[in-house]
Amino acid sequence: MQQLVKRNITQHIQDQKNKFPIIALTGPRQSGKTTLLKNIFKDYRYISLENPDVRAFANEDPKAFLNEYNDKVIFDEVQKVPLLFSYLQGIVDDSKIMGQFILSGSQNFHLIQGITQSLAGRVALFKLLPFDLSELNADNLLEDSFTNTCVKGFYPAIYDRDIQPSVYFANYIQTYVEKDVTELLNIKDLQAFRTFIGLCANQAGQLLNLSALANACNISQPTAKNWLAVLESSYIIYLLQPYHENFNKRLVKTPKLYFYDTGLLCHLLKIKSGKALTTNRLKGNIFENMVISEFQKQNYHNYLNNEYYFWQDSHANEVDLLKQTDDGFAVFEVKASQTITADLFKNLDRFELNASPKKVEKTLIYGGLNNQNRSQYKILSWKSIK
């Protein structure tokens, strides 16, 4: 299975395969995990635990199963047979072979649970998300219009097979999201869950309002919290946490909600074209979502282990993204505008004032195409994030 777009994570996985007995790769369904692993580990056997016959063998007789598949094996959707994790621990502890097993799974909760309980210290864990901007740029697949890019999204099949985003995402929700939901939760009313996902889309780029989500779906707050956790563990949404250091001001402590993929987000919001997005009231939120998610994707794909936050005080002064540096902060303001005006820098300046005397690196990421280095700011096109 040939990989069309080179994935940035490839080299980092190759770097670790001789240092850990197990490599684990997680990420959303259809993000390209199987293709990537088959390309990296060409001499490994590939075993999918989605296959009911294979899964039954593994569940009923794990010892015999692992005698059959005991070296240079890729186990896909391994979280479906959780008892394998403890058996793998014994095998790799005895063999001391590096890169003996490759694990892959699309349900983060069960995969991470299995690793932390049985395989801690034995696994190099990676996350593969849909394409990032630098991957598409490298293959000349990135348009100059951020509106078209947001609507198209970043899932490999859309680029590899030239599928219309509206067709792809309608099937994605029905086939994958609801499949994960029914496996993780006993939801009898899938329509209510579809409504819930749509309401999450309307909150993208905003402070999470759990009570509003619960009330609108006529469910309890604990149920809404569980449903949100399922969307997180299936890599549909994530919560960006606020930075809490108090610069003598009251700070917001509620996370902001984002989608990993803006194509799915636009589909849920019924935005079907870049032209439609241009005039949509949520254009700024969707652009911000794409940019913030880009930092998350490049963080995982380049194995950086950075921690990102946003900052907002009780007067709604905020910076969209914040990262601590050795001597202060790197802060980012995200604006869909293609015209640079002095007003776009005010939140960055306000944060610098609050953070004084710590050093603050200030960057504006905007909807235009030209980069600039000014004396106090870096101005970065959305296409140039790296």
Side-chain angles (χ1 to χ4, degrees), residues 103-227:
L103 312 181
S104 176
S106 57
Q107 280 179 7
N108 189 37
F109 175 76
H110 286 153
L111 185 64
I112 300 299
Q113 190 179 48
I115 287 171
T116 53
Q117 288 178 357
S118 303
L119 299 174
R122 302 165 179 87
V123 180
L125 179 62
F126 295 88
K127 294 183 182 180
L128 183 71
L129 298 170
F131 291 142
D132 62 50
L133 293 172
S134 67
E135 290 170 339
L136 292 175
N137 244 335
D139 273 69
N140 298 313
L141 292 171
L142 196 57
E143 298 186 46
D144 285 341
S145 161
F146 77 77
T147 53
N148 290 344
T149 301
C150 283
V151 172
K152 189 171 185 178
F154 299 88
Y155 275 88
I158 290 172
Y159 294 84
D160 295 347
R161 290 184 259 143
D162 195 27
I163 303 174
Q164 279 294 321
S166 58
V167 173
Y168 178 79
F169 288 114
N171 283 285
Y172 189 87
I173 289 171
Q174 192 171 352
T175 309
Y176 296 110
V177 177
E178 293 179 2
K179 186 174 188 292
D180 281 347
V181 167
T182 51
E183 284 182 7
L184 286 168
L185 291 172
N186 183 22
I187 295 179
K188 295 180 175 62
D189 187 359
L190 269 177
Q191 185 54 51
F193 189 80
R194 290 191 197 103
T195 302
F196 182 80
I197 301 175
L199 291 167
C200 286
N202 276 283
Q203 283 198 20
Q206 300 174 33
L207 295 175
L208 173 65
N209 189 334
L210 200 61
S211 61
L213 288 173
N215 292 339
C217 293
N218 198 27
I219 57 176
S220 68
Q221 280 204 41
T223 297
K225 198 170 183 179
N226 286 340
W227 289 9

Side-chain angles (χ1 to χ4, degrees), residues 51-71:
N51 183 310
D53 295 332
V54 174
R55 190 163 66 247
F57 180 15
N59 269 315
E60 291 162 13
D61 196 344
K63 284 187 177 179
F65 179 79
L66 288 170
N67 281 335
E68 175 83 19
Y69 306 111
N70 59 7
D71 188 26

